[in-house]
Amino acid sequence: MDQVDLIWQNGDFVRWEDAQVHVLSHGLHYGTGVFEGIRCYETERGPAIFRHRDHLARLERSASLYYLELPYSAEELRAATHELLRRNGLKSCYIRPLAFRGYGEMGLYAKSAPIEMIIAVWPWGAYLGDEGKRKGIRAKVSSWRRIGPGGLIPHAKASGQYLNSILAKTESANAGYEEAILLDERGFVCEGSGENIFVIRDGEVVTPPHVASILDGISRKSVIQIARDLGYTVVERDIARAELYLAEEVFLIGTAAELVPVREIDDHPLGEGKPGEITTHIQAKFEDALYGRAEEYLEWLDFVEAPAEVDAPSKVTP
Ligand SMILES: Cc1ncc(COP(=O)(O)O)c(C=O)c1O
């Protein structure tokens, strides 16, 4: 990881190496945490966080679904993130807020274990690589099925749930692929291990509906709007596994990975084995939105104001 100076922890700005937790923290044992993955981009008008309020609203929803009461409001977390970016002198980075049940009580009904929060920021390149974004990646349908609503909450971004994604990702990486695609219990397509999926069929942009066993991605929502604005027909429906192989184009999209074309699935080349026209068209507009180059999507950006001229006294804890 590219280390920076400070991490925000429970209201204080602490040095990166001092941001510690107790080994008996509840979240470490049972996965009782919720988090977000957000990105800040360097734009002409300064650093801007993409759909920051939407991410914080999802954090609040994830927390509430798992009965975790966040000790800070979304507005407090937003202000802390702005300050953290300023203090670390970052213009673009990945942002990871995390809330978890901390140290104080063990067992599964540990109501008295406090909820702790951190926000970490660090420079992080495209999750599936810049080359993947340009040339497309190879993906494999996982033998692991995506968690379903009968046992967990696909719509929550909760720490423990990621064991499912990790199994799928590990299997695909060990087999030499860049990403896994998970199906649901019925065998319909859900998403990548950390991205939503879009399939182009007969010129239409198709994606599983938001009620599928997927994380209702914020990039997914953005791309649905962008694709419609560009004049494409977007359809939310179940996607059969075979459609992955028959598709003209497929792409994955998420905050960490951004928009990544898929050029091969289970050794079936897609289209001409390189990113297709519709994918490239949508990708270009999406990147314009991220970097503040698209006037019509400027409202998605949360601009981080430059630091005040006079240095505030440092609140770093020793
Ligand atoms: C399982 C999963 N699906 C989809 C996404 C994409 O969501 P978003 O666009 O909000 O980052 C992510 C990333 O957060 C994810 O972890």
Side-chain angles (χ1 to χ4, degrees):
M1 288 183 76
D2 275 339
Q3 188 172 324
V4 300
D5 291 339
L6 300 172
I7 287 178
W8 180 91
Q9 185 173 27
N10 299 322
D12 292 322
F13 294 90
V14 302
R15 290 191 187 91
W16 179 282
E17 52 276 12
D18 295 334
Q20 311 281 350
V21 294
H22 197 281
V23 292
L24 292 177
S25 295
H26 196 268
L28 193 57
H29 294 248
Y30 302 114
T32 39
V34 294
F35 65 99
E36 270 305 316
I38 314 172
R39 275 192 188 274
C40 176
Y41 293 90
E42 186 172 0
T43 75
E44 266 187 7
R45 282 177 50 193
I49 304 173
F50 188 66
R51 303 197 72 162
H52 197 189
R53 287 189 169 90
D54 294 319
H55 279 282
L56 292 174
R58 187 171 66 187
L59 183 73
E60 288 184 319
R61 288 197 298 275
S62 299
S64 130
L65 287 166
Y66 278 101
Y67 307 98
L68 301 172
E69 226 168 89
L70 295 185
Y72 299 93
S73 69
E75 213 34 60
E76 287 170 327
L77 295 172
R78 178 173 166 261
T81 305
H82 283 216
E83 183 61 16
L84 186 63
L85 287 171
R86 280 193 288 266
R87 288 185 182 218
N88 280 309
L90 289 169
K91 295 196 169 79
S92 68
C93 63
Y94 185 79
I95 303 169
R96 167 57 56 82
L98 165 75
F100 60 98
R101 213 173 263 291
Y103 166 68
E105 189 183 355
M106 272 295 163
L108 300 184
Y109 189 62
K111 294 280 276 185
S112 73
I115 310 298
E116 299 200 25
M117 286 205 76
I118 64 110
I119 305 169
V121 295
W122 67 90
W124 201 12
Y127 175 59
L128 297 174
D130 277 327
E131 191 172 309
K133 272 173 62 181
R134 272 185 290 110
K135 297 189 176 162
I137 58 152
R138 296 173 62 242
K140 179 186 183 332
V141 172
S142 180
S143 71
W144 296 99
R145 294 294 164 102
R146 167 84 175 144
I147 50 167
L152 279 165
I153 312 174
H155 278 62
K157 197 165 168 64
S159 305
Q161 297 190 172
Y162 275 81
L163 287 174
N164 176 241
S165 303
I166 287 169
L167 283 172
K169 179 79 184 179
T170 306
E171 178 187 62
S172 69
N174 287 347
Y177 297 84
E178 276 114 5
E179 189 50 293
I181 297 171
L182 289 93
L183 309 179
D184 66 17
E185 285 300 337
R186 305 165 305 152
F188 287 102
V189 175
C190 284
E191 58 182 347
S193 70
E195 310 86 20
N196 291 114
I197 192 165
F198 286 77
V199 167
I200 315 297
R201 292 222 67 201
D202 300 326
E204 289 184 346
V205 180
V206 186
T207 194
H210 73 94
V211 290
S213 288
I214 61 171
L215 183 73
D216 191 6
I218 289 163
S219 324
R220 172 187 178 278
K221 275 199 203 82
S222 312
V223 146
I224 289 176
Q225 184 169 338
I226 288 172
R228 287 194 173 130
D229 291 348
L230 289 174
Y232 296 107
T233 302
V234 179
V235 183
E236 293 185 60
R237 65 158 172 83
D238 281 336
I239 298 173
R241 176 175 184 165
E243 294 189 271
L244 292 176
Y245 314 138
L246 297 170
E248 290 116 60
E249 306 174 29
V250 173
F251 64 84
L252 297 170
I253 185 152
T255 299
E258 299 169 333
L259 196 154
V260 183
V262 181
R263 64 182 158 84
E264 199 181 298
I265 301 178
D266 289 344
D267 308 322
H268 292 282
L270 296 174
E272 287 157 24
K274 58 178 181 65
E277 210 175 291
I278 297 178
T279 300
T280 317
H281 191 195
I282 296 173
Q283 185 184 39
K285 197 65 174 180
F286 181 64
E287 300 241 329
D288 283 348
L290 297 179
Y291 287 91
R293 296 187 298 254
E295 199 65 37
E296 65 274 41
Y297 305 122
L298 275 183
E299 64 186 27
W300 285 343
L301 298 181
D302 180 21
F303 288 94
V304 181
E305 299 305 325
E309 284 298 307
V310 187
D311 268 358
S314 175
K315 275 194 262 159
V316 178
T317 54

